[in-house]
mmCIF file of all heavy atoms in Angstrom:
data_model
loop_
_atom_site.group_PDB
_atom_site.id
_atom_site.type_symbol
_atom_site.label_atom_id
_atom_site.label_comp_id
_atom_site.label_asym_id
_atom_site.label_seq_id
_atom_site.Cartn_x
_atom_site.Cartn_y
_atom_site.Cartn_z
ATOM 1 N N MET A 13 21.289 -6.474 209.755
ATOM 2 C CA MET A 13 21.908 -5.163 209.626
ATOM 3 C C MET A 13 21.787 -4.667 208.230
ATOM 4 O O MET A 13 22.200 -5.359 207.299
ATOM 5 C CB MET A 13 23.424 -5.296 210.022
ATOM 6 C CG MET A 13 24.146 -3.929 209.919
ATOM 7 S SD MET A 13 25.892 -4.130 210.412
ATOM 8 C CE MET A 13 25.720 -4.148 212.179
ATOM 9 N N GLY A 14 21.258 -3.494 208.016
ATOM 10 C CA GLY A 14 21.047 -2.983 206.682
ATOM 11 C C GLY A 14 22.279 -2.409 206.077
ATOM 12 O O GLY A 14 23.250 -2.150 206.776
ATOM 13 N N LYS A 15 22.210 -2.184 204.801
ATOM 14 C CA LYS A 15 23.358 -1.671 204.055
ATOM 15 C C LYS A 15 23.791 -0.296 204.527
ATOM 16 O O LYS A 15 24.923 0.063 204.411
ATOM 17 C CB LYS A 15 22.798 -1.580 202.605
ATOM 18 C CG LYS A 15 23.730 -1.188 201.595
ATOM 19 C CD LYS A 15 23.027 -1.279 200.263
ATOM 20 C CE LYS A 15 23.849 -0.697 199.122
ATOM 21 N NZ LYS A 15 23.103 -0.770 197.815
ATOM 22 N N PHE A 16 22.859 0.467 205.079
ATOM 23 C CA PHE A 16 23.198 1.847 205.492
ATOM 24 C C PHE A 16 23.317 2.013 206.967
ATOM 25 O O PHE A 16 23.336 3.111 207.508
ATOM 26 C CB PHE A 16 22.153 2.838 204.930
ATOM 27 C CG PHE A 16 21.991 2.699 203.456
ATOM 28 C CD1 PHE A 16 20.798 2.227 202.929
ATOM 29 C CD2 PHE A 16 23.062 3.038 202.623
ATOM 30 C CE1 PHE A 16 20.698 2.131 201.546
ATOM 31 C CE2 PHE A 16 22.919 2.918 201.261
ATOM 32 C CZ PHE A 16 21.710 2.464 200.696
ATOM 33 N N ASP A 17 23.362 0.911 207.709
ATOM 34 C CA ASP A 17 23.416 0.975 209.170
ATOM 35 C C ASP A 17 24.870 0.888 209.729
ATOM 36 O O ASP A 17 25.031 0.964 210.931
ATOM 37 C CB ASP A 17 22.591 -0.139 209.766
ATOM 38 C CG ASP A 17 21.137 -0.038 209.468
ATOM 39 O OD1 ASP A 17 20.703 1.103 209.167
ATOM 40 O OD2 ASP A 17 20.422 -1.018 209.502
ATOM 41 N N TYR A 18 25.833 0.692 208.851
ATOM 42 C CA TYR A 18 27.177 0.626 209.335
ATOM 43 C C TYR A 18 28.124 1.038 208.212
ATOM 44 O O TYR A 18 27.937 0.710 207.047
ATOM 45 C CB TYR A 18 27.520 -0.832 209.772
ATOM 46 C CG TYR A 18 28.958 -0.997 210.239
ATOM 47 C CD1 TYR A 18 29.295 -0.605 211.506
ATOM 48 C CD2 TYR A 18 29.939 -1.468 209.406
ATOM 49 C CE1 TYR A 18 30.592 -0.749 211.997
ATOM 50 C CE2 TYR A 18 31.289 -1.581 209.845
ATOM 51 C CZ TYR A 18 31.549 -1.215 211.103
ATOM 52 O OH TYR A 18 32.850 -1.308 211.545
ATOM 53 N N ALA A 19 29.146 1.776 208.546
ATOM 54 C CA ALA A 19 30.191 2.114 207.568
ATOM 55 C C ALA A 19 31.467 2.281 208.347
ATOM 56 O O ALA A 19 31.505 2.697 209.507
ATOM 57 C CB ALA A 19 29.819 3.364 206.827
ATOM 58 N N LYS A 20 32.585 1.946 207.701
ATOM 59 C CA LYS A 20 33.887 2.189 208.291
ATOM 60 C C LYS A 20 34.825 2.776 207.242
ATOM 61 O O LYS A 20 34.907 2.257 206.135
ATOM 62 C CB LYS A 20 34.474 0.910 208.846
ATOM 63 C CG LYS A 20 35.799 1.101 209.526
ATOM 64 C CD LYS A 20 36.254 -0.157 210.150
ATOM 65 C CE LYS A 20 37.639 0.075 210.858
ATOM 66 N NZ LYS A 20 38.194 -1.098 211.459
ATOM 67 N N CYS A 21 35.502 3.836 207.582
ATOM 68 C CA CYS A 21 36.429 4.459 206.654
ATOM 69 C C CYS A 21 37.720 3.695 206.606
ATOM 70 O O CYS A 21 38.346 3.488 207.629
ATOM 71 C CB CYS A 21 36.664 5.933 207.108
ATOM 72 S SG CYS A 21 37.847 6.776 206.041
ATOM 73 N N PRO A 22 38.164 3.261 205.433
ATOM 74 C CA PRO A 22 39.409 2.491 205.327
ATOM 75 C C PRO A 22 40.602 3.385 205.509
ATOM 76 O O PRO A 22 41.731 2.823 205.702
ATOM 77 C CB PRO A 22 39.332 1.926 203.906
ATOM 78 C CG PRO A 22 38.469 2.894 203.147
ATOM 79 C CD PRO A 22 37.471 3.453 204.128
ATOM 80 N N ASN A 23 40.454 4.682 205.464
ATOM 81 C CA ASN A 23 41.591 5.595 205.605
ATOM 82 C C ASN A 23 41.901 5.944 207.044
ATOM 83 O O ASN A 23 43.041 5.855 207.514
ATOM 84 C CB ASN A 23 41.350 6.823 204.786
ATOM 85 C CG ASN A 23 42.617 7.656 204.624
ATOM 86 O OD1 ASN A 23 43.622 7.131 204.217
ATOM 87 N ND2 ASN A 23 42.547 8.905 204.876
ATOM 88 N N CYS A 24 40.893 6.367 207.791
ATOM 89 C CA CYS A 24 41.137 6.804 209.197
ATOM 90 C C CYS A 24 40.476 5.870 210.197
ATOM 91 O O CYS A 24 40.730 6.021 211.431
ATOM 92 C CB CYS A 24 40.592 8.217 209.368
ATOM 93 S SG CYS A 24 38.825 8.392 209.356
ATOM 94 N N GLY A 25 39.641 4.919 209.774
ATOM 95 C CA GLY A 25 39.068 3.982 210.738
ATOM 96 C C GLY A 25 37.763 4.460 211.372
ATOM 97 O O GLY A 25 37.236 3.795 212.238
ATOM 98 N N LYS A 26 37.288 5.661 210.980
ATOM 99 C CA LYS A 26 36.042 6.155 211.578
ATOM 100 C C LYS A 26 34.867 5.218 211.257
ATOM 101 O O LYS A 26 34.789 4.752 210.151
ATOM 102 C CB LYS A 26 35.792 7.581 211.022
ATOM 103 C CG LYS A 26 34.517 8.173 211.569
ATOM 104 C CD LYS A 26 34.279 9.553 210.973
ATOM 105 C CE LYS A 26 35.260 10.603 211.443
ATOM 106 N NZ LYS A 26 34.854 11.957 211.079
ATOM 107 N N VAL A 27 33.998 5.058 212.210
ATOM 108 C CA VAL A 27 32.845 4.182 211.990
ATOM 109 C C VAL A 27 31.524 4.934 212.251
ATOM 110 O O VAL A 27 31.466 5.880 212.999
ATOM 111 C CB VAL A 27 32.885 2.911 212.882
ATOM 112 C CG1 VAL A 27 34.044 2.034 212.504
ATOM 113 C CG2 VAL A 27 32.916 3.275 214.352
ATOM 114 N N ALA A 28 30.511 4.409 211.606
ATOM 115 C CA ALA A 28 29.162 4.920 211.823
ATOM 116 C C ALA A 28 28.265 3.689 212.116
ATOM 117 O O ALA A 28 28.478 2.667 211.482
ATOM 118 C CB ALA A 28 28.601 5.663 210.631
ATOM 119 N N HIS A 29 27.363 3.821 213.107
ATOM 120 C CA HIS A 29 26.628 2.635 213.575
ATOM 121 C C HIS A 29 25.152 2.627 213.292
ATOM 122 O O HIS A 29 24.433 1.750 213.689
ATOM 123 C CB HIS A 29 26.829 2.447 215.095
ATOM 124 C CG HIS A 29 28.297 2.187 215.432
ATOM 125 N ND1 HIS A 29 29.122 3.151 215.890
ATOM 126 C CD2 HIS A 29 28.987 1.046 215.386
ATOM 127 C CE1 HIS A 29 30.315 2.609 216.075
ATOM 128 N NE2 HIS A 29 30.273 1.345 215.785
ATOM 129 N N ASN A 30 24.697 3.676 212.615
ATOM 130 C CA ASN A 30 23.319 3.644 212.247
ATOM 131 C C ASN A 30 23.175 4.601 211.004
ATOM 132 O O ASN A 30 24.127 5.267 210.599
ATOM 133 C CB ASN A 30 22.382 4.152 213.361
ATOM 134 C CG ASN A 30 22.759 5.535 213.835
ATOM 135 O OD1 ASN A 30 22.857 6.468 213.099
ATOM 136 N ND2 ASN A 30 22.977 5.637 215.143
ATOM 137 N N ARG A 31 21.992 4.595 210.403
ATOM 138 C CA ARG A 31 21.865 5.313 209.156
ATOM 139 C C ARG A 31 22.090 6.806 209.298
ATOM 140 O O ARG A 31 22.683 7.408 208.388
ATOM 141 C CB ARG A 31 20.442 5.050 208.529
ATOM 142 C CG ARG A 31 20.315 5.734 207.202
ATOM 143 C CD ARG A 31 19.032 5.339 206.522
ATOM 144 N NE ARG A 31 18.970 6.089 205.249
ATOM 145 C CZ ARG A 31 18.411 5.630 204.180
ATOM 146 N NH1 ARG A 31 17.955 4.449 204.100
ATOM 147 N NH2 ARG A 31 18.403 6.354 203.081
ATOM 148 N N GLN A 32 21.676 7.366 210.424
ATOM 149 C CA GLN A 32 21.908 8.811 210.593
ATOM 150 C C GLN A 32 23.397 9.149 210.658
ATOM 151 O O GLN A 32 23.862 10.083 210.044
ATOM 152 C CB GLN A 32 21.211 9.265 211.848
ATOM 153 C CG GLN A 32 21.283 10.790 212.037
ATOM 154 C CD GLN A 32 20.716 11.260 213.343
ATOM 155 O OE1 GLN A 32 20.111 10.488 214.091
ATOM 156 N NE2 GLN A 32 20.902 12.563 213.638
ATOM 157 N N GLU A 33 24.147 8.350 211.383
ATOM 158 C CA GLU A 33 25.628 8.524 211.428
ATOM 159 C C GLU A 33 26.256 8.293 210.077
ATOM 160 O O GLU A 33 27.169 9.034 209.706
ATOM 161 C CB GLU A 33 26.254 7.591 212.491
ATOM 162 C CG GLU A 33 25.876 8.033 213.869
ATOM 163 C CD GLU A 33 26.557 7.117 214.933
ATOM 164 O OE1 GLU A 33 27.336 6.224 214.537
ATOM 165 O OE2 GLU A 33 26.316 7.349 216.097
ATOM 166 N N VAL A 34 25.798 7.294 209.357
ATOM 167 C CA VAL A 34 26.327 7.031 208.061
ATOM 168 C C VAL A 34 26.157 8.243 207.170
ATOM 169 O O VAL A 34 27.018 8.717 206.437
ATOM 170 C CB VAL A 34 25.729 5.755 207.430
ATOM 171 C CG1 VAL A 34 26.064 5.608 205.945
ATOM 172 C CG2 VAL A 34 26.140 4.528 208.157
ATOM 173 N N ASP A 35 24.912 8.774 207.198
ATOM 174 C CA ASP A 35 24.615 9.907 206.406
ATOM 175 C C ASP A 35 25.446 11.169 206.777
ATOM 176 O O ASP A 35 25.956 11.828 205.926
ATOM 177 C CB ASP A 35 23.082 10.221 206.469
ATOM 178 C CG ASP A 35 22.599 11.084 205.372
ATOM 179 O OD1 ASP A 35 23.279 11.206 204.303
ATOM 180 O OD2 ASP A 35 21.534 11.715 205.499
ATOM 181 N N GLU A 36 25.580 11.365 208.082
ATOM 182 C CA GLU A 36 26.307 12.545 208.591
ATOM 183 C C GLU A 36 27.784 12.456 208.368
ATOM 184 O O GLU A 36 28.477 13.392 207.992
ATOM 185 C CB GLU A 36 26.094 12.729 210.064
ATOM 186 C CG GLU A 36 24.724 13.276 210.396
ATOM 187 C CD GLU A 36 24.473 13.311 211.941
ATOM 188 O OE1 GLU A 36 25.388 12.900 212.667
ATOM 189 O OE2 GLU A 36 23.376 13.675 212.332
ATOM 190 N N ARG A 37 28.421 11.213 208.593
ATOM 191 C CA ARG A 37 29.847 11.105 208.595
ATOM 192 C C ARG A 37 30.399 10.656 207.261
ATOM 193 O O ARG A 37 31.552 10.919 206.935
ATOM 194 C CB ARG A 37 30.246 10.085 209.641
ATOM 195 C CG ARG A 37 29.875 10.557 211.060
ATOM 196 C CD ARG A 37 30.206 9.530 212.108
ATOM 197 N NE ARG A 37 29.631 9.950 213.363
ATOM 198 C CZ ARG A 37 29.784 9.203 214.500
ATOM 199 N NH1 ARG A 37 30.469 8.121 214.497
ATOM 200 N NH2 ARG A 37 29.232 9.681 215.608
ATOM 201 N N PHE A 38 29.598 9.971 206.472
ATOM 202 C CA PHE A 38 30.087 9.410 205.197
ATOM 203 C C PHE A 38 29.300 10.002 204.004
ATOM 204 O O PHE A 38 29.909 10.404 203.040
ATOM 205 C CB PHE A 38 29.936 7.908 205.192
ATOM 206 C CG PHE A 38 30.907 7.231 206.105
ATOM 207 C CD1 PHE A 38 30.687 7.186 207.459
ATOM 208 C CD2 PHE A 38 32.089 6.721 205.631
ATOM 209 C CE1 PHE A 38 31.584 6.642 208.327
ATOM 210 C CE2 PHE A 38 32.998 6.124 206.483
ATOM 211 C CZ PHE A 38 32.750 6.088 207.826
ATOM 212 N N GLY A 39 27.983 10.079 204.140
ATOM 213 C CA GLY A 39 27.165 10.579 203.076
ATOM 214 C C GLY A 39 26.593 9.425 202.255
ATOM 215 O O GLY A 39 27.208 8.449 201.963
ATOM 216 N N ILE A 40 25.281 9.542 201.943
ATOM 217 C CA ILE A 40 24.584 8.576 201.113
ATOM 218 C C ILE A 40 24.242 9.252 199.816
ATOM 219 O O ILE A 40 23.695 10.337 199.822
ATOM 220 C CB ILE A 40 23.329 8.063 201.860
ATOM 221 C CG1 ILE A 40 23.702 7.281 203.115
ATOM 222 C CG2 ILE A 40 22.524 7.120 200.906
ATOM 223 C CD1 ILE A 40 22.528 6.887 203.920
ATOM 224 N N ARG A 41 24.686 8.640 198.756
ATOM 225 C CA ARG A 41 24.570 9.245 197.436
ATOM 226 C C ARG A 41 23.574 8.502 196.597
ATOM 227 O O ARG A 41 23.510 7.279 196.649
ATOM 228 C CB ARG A 41 26.001 9.151 196.835
ATOM 229 C CG ARG A 41 26.146 9.470 195.350
ATOM 230 C CD ARG A 41 27.606 9.253 195.009
ATOM 231 N NE ARG A 41 27.996 7.837 194.917
ATOM 232 C CZ ARG A 41 29.168 7.372 194.932
ATOM 233 N NH1 ARG A 41 30.184 8.214 195.047
ATOM 234 N NH2 ARG A 41 29.435 6.097 194.798
ATOM 235 N N ASN A 42 22.751 9.253 195.879
ATOM 236 C CA ASN A 42 21.778 8.652 195.010
ATOM 237 C C ASN A 42 22.393 8.542 193.556
ATOM 238 O O ASN A 42 22.541 9.564 192.915
ATOM 239 C CB ASN A 42 20.491 9.476 194.979
ATOM 240 C CG ASN A 42 19.357 8.740 194.247
ATOM 241 O OD1 ASN A 42 19.631 7.989 193.327
ATOM 242 N ND2 ASN A 42 18.157 9.021 194.603
ATOM 243 N N ASN A 43 22.694 7.350 193.195
ATOM 244 C CA ASN A 43 23.370 7.126 191.895
ATOM 245 C C ASN A 43 22.436 6.521 190.916
ATOM 246 O O ASN A 43 22.274 5.268 190.907
ATOM 247 C CB ASN A 43 24.631 6.246 192.160
ATOM 248 C CG ASN A 43 25.457 6.059 190.931
ATOM 249 O OD1 ASN A 43 25.260 6.688 189.909
ATOM 250 N ND2 ASN A 43 26.471 5.239 191.050
ATOM 251 N N ASP A 44 21.699 7.325 190.184
ATOM 252 C CA ASP A 44 20.730 6.804 189.247
ATOM 253 C C ASP A 44 19.665 5.880 189.924
ATOM 254 O O ASP A 44 19.319 4.850 189.390
ATOM 255 C CB ASP A 44 21.379 6.051 188.067
ATOM 256 C CG ASP A 44 21.696 6.938 186.921
ATOM 257 O OD1 ASP A 44 21.175 8.027 186.847
ATOM 258 O OD2 ASP A 44 22.525 6.545 186.055
ATOM 259 N N GLY A 45 19.241 6.322 191.078
ATOM 260 C CA GLY A 45 18.204 5.533 191.761
ATOM 261 C C GLY A 45 18.746 4.504 192.703
ATOM 262 O O GLY A 45 18.035 3.902 193.465
ATOM 263 N N ASN A 46 20.093 4.193 192.606
ATOM 264 C CA ASN A 46 20.680 3.292 193.556
ATOM 265 C C ASN A 46 21.367 4.050 194.668
ATOM 266 O O ASN A 46 22.248 4.832 194.375
ATOM 267 C CB ASN A 46 21.705 2.409 192.832
ATOM 268 C CG ASN A 46 21.053 1.459 191.900
ATOM 269 O OD1 ASN A 46 20.123 0.773 192.260
ATOM 270 N ND2 ASN A 46 21.651 1.336 190.755
ATOM 271 N N LEU A 47 20.964 3.796 195.894
ATOM 272 C CA LEU A 47 21.584 4.503 197.044
ATOM 273 C C LEU A 47 22.906 3.806 197.346
ATOM 274 O O LEU A 47 22.949 2.645 197.508
ATOM 275 C CB LEU A 47 20.653 4.476 198.221
ATOM 276 C CG LEU A 47 19.429 5.302 198.023
ATOM 277 C CD1 LEU A 47 18.506 5.192 199.303
ATOM 278 C CD2 LEU A 47 19.692 6.828 197.811
ATOM 279 N N MET A 48 23.934 4.645 197.431
ATOM 280 C CA MET A 48 25.303 4.142 197.687
ATOM 281 C C MET A 48 25.861 4.865 198.922
ATOM 282 O O MET A 48 25.751 6.082 198.964
ATOM 283 C CB MET A 48 26.178 4.431 196.505
ATOM 284 C CG MET A 48 25.678 3.910 195.191
ATOM 285 S SD MET A 48 26.140 2.262 194.909
ATOM 286 C CE MET A 48 27.928 2.364 194.852
ATOM 287 N N VAL A 49 26.510 4.155 199.770
ATOM 288 C CA VAL A 49 27.246 4.827 200.870
ATOM 289 C C VAL A 49 28.632 5.169 200.355
ATOM 290 O O VAL A 49 29.271 4.343 199.690
ATOM 291 C CB VAL A 49 27.411 3.855 202.123
ATOM 292 C CG1 VAL A 49 28.156 4.581 203.162
ATOM 293 C CG2 VAL A 49 25.989 3.465 202.589
ATOM 294 N N GLN A 50 29.066 6.374 200.641
ATOM 295 C CA GLN A 50 30.435 6.705 200.310
ATOM 296 C C GLN A 50 31.388 5.877 201.106
ATOM 297 O O GLN A 50 31.206 5.649 202.312
ATOM 298 C CB GLN A 50 30.678 8.181 200.689
ATOM 299 C CG GLN A 50 29.725 9.144 199.976
ATOM 300 C CD GLN A 50 30.147 9.508 198.585
ATOM 301 O OE1 GLN A 50 31.094 8.962 198.026
ATOM 302 N NE2 GLN A 50 29.350 10.371 197.970
ATOM 303 N N SER A 51 32.430 5.350 200.532
ATOM 304 C CA SER A 51 33.292 4.388 201.234
ATOM 305 C C SER A 51 34.205 5.126 202.237
ATOM 306 O O SER A 51 34.568 4.596 203.245
ATOM 307 C CB SER A 51 34.062 3.551 200.311
ATOM 308 O OG SER A 51 34.785 4.320 199.403
ATOM 309 N N TRP A 52 34.655 6.363 201.856
ATOM 310 C CA TRP A 52 35.514 7.112 202.724
ATOM 311 C C TRP A 52 34.633 8.149 203.454
ATOM 312 O O TRP A 52 33.741 8.701 202.838
ATOM 313 C CB TRP A 52 36.626 7.796 201.960
ATOM 314 C CG TRP A 52 37.727 6.891 201.524
ATOM 315 C CD1 TRP A 52 37.684 5.534 201.329
ATOM 316 C CD2 TRP A 52 39.070 7.258 201.271
ATOM 317 N NE1 TRP A 52 38.867 5.033 200.965
ATOM 318 C CE2 TRP A 52 39.786 6.039 200.925
ATOM 319 C CE3 TRP A 52 39.777 8.433 201.322
ATOM 320 C CZ2 TRP A 52 41.124 6.065 200.624
ATOM 321 C CZ3 TRP A 52 41.121 8.443 201.000
ATOM 322 C CH2 TRP A 52 41.803 7.251 200.628
ATOM 323 N N CYS A 53 35.018 8.495 204.697
ATOM 324 C CA CYS A 53 34.317 9.517 205.427
ATOM 325 C C CYS A 53 34.508 10.873 204.757
ATOM 326 O O CYS A 53 35.407 11.089 203.952
ATOM 327 C CB CYS A 53 34.723 9.506 206.879
ATOM 328 S SG CYS A 53 36.352 10.230 207.194
ATOM 329 N N ARG A 54 33.707 11.869 205.205
ATOM 330 C CA ARG A 54 33.781 13.192 204.531
ATOM 331 C C ARG A 54 35.167 13.806 204.674
ATOM 332 O O ARG A 54 35.580 14.495 203.758
ATOM 333 C CB ARG A 54 32.738 14.081 205.212
ATOM 334 C CG ARG A 54 31.315 13.644 204.957
ATOM 335 C CD ARG A 54 30.313 14.584 205.581
ATOM 336 N NE ARG A 54 28.958 14.099 205.548
ATOM 337 C CZ ARG A 54 28.167 14.249 204.517
ATOM 338 N NH1 ARG A 54 28.579 14.839 203.402
ATOM 339 N NH2 ARG A 54 26.941 13.750 204.516
ATOM 340 N N LYS A 55 35.816 13.656 205.826
ATOM 341 C CA LYS A 55 37.094 14.346 206.049
ATOM 342 C C LYS A 55 38.196 13.748 205.151
ATOM 343 O O LYS A 55 39.152 14.440 204.790
ATOM 344 C CB LYS A 55 37.510 14.202 207.507
ATOM 345 C CG LYS A 55 36.740 15.165 208.375
ATOM 346 C CD LYS A 55 37.367 15.253 209.729
ATOM 347 C CE LYS A 55 36.711 16.446 210.469
ATOM 348 N NZ LYS A 55 37.153 16.516 211.887
ATOM 349 N N CYS A 56 38.063 12.474 204.814
ATOM 350 C CA CYS A 56 39.141 11.826 204.054
ATOM 351 C C CYS A 56 38.984 11.972 202.544
ATOM 352 O O CYS A 56 39.905 11.624 201.806
ATOM 353 C CB CYS A 56 39.246 10.376 204.406
ATOM 354 S SG CYS A 56 39.752 10.122 206.105
ATOM 355 N N ARG A 57 37.838 12.417 202.115
ATOM 356 C CA ARG A 57 37.580 12.518 200.651
ATOM 357 C C ARG A 57 38.270 13.776 200.056
ATOM 358 O O ARG A 57 38.496 14.719 200.763
ATOM 359 C CB ARG A 57 36.170 12.476 200.330
ATOM 360 C CG ARG A 57 35.551 11.076 200.437
ATOM 361 C CD ARG A 57 34.333 10.969 199.622
ATOM 362 N NE ARG A 57 33.295 11.944 199.850
ATOM 363 C CZ ARG A 57 32.406 11.781 200.795
ATOM 364 N NH1 ARG A 57 32.369 10.688 201.544
ATOM 365 N NH2 ARG A 57 31.495 12.686 201.046
HETATM 366 ZN ZN1 ZN B 1 38.159 8.845 207.174
#
C-alpha cells in the first residue's frame, strides 16, 4: 500500500482508499518537492 493510497481524517473519520480519493478528499501538497498528504480532510481544515 503506497503512501497516497489511504488516508483517514482524525477529526471526522472520513477515509480515502486510493490516490484519487486521497487527492479529492484530503489533498496532496507539494512541499519543496516532497509530496505530503494533508492529515485532515478538506471539510475539517
Ligand atoms: Zn474530516
Side-chain angles (χ1 to χ4, degrees):
M13 180 180 281
K15 184 176 173 182
F16 304 114
D17 294 338
Y18 179 81
K20 182 175 181 181
C21 177
N23 193 51
C24 70
K26 181 184 287 192
V27 294
H29 296 99
N30 58 53
R31 183 171 176 145
Q32 185 184 352
E33 289 182 1
V34 169
D35 197 19
E36 285 174 1
R37 298 177 188 180
F38 290 79
I40 295 173
R41 168 180 75 196
N42 188 332
N43 187 6
D44 269 346
N46 290 316
L47 293 177
M48 306 273 298
V49 179
Q50 303 277 4
S51 56
W52 285 25
C53 73
R54 294 181 188 277
K55 284 194 172 172
C56 294
R57 284 204 304 275

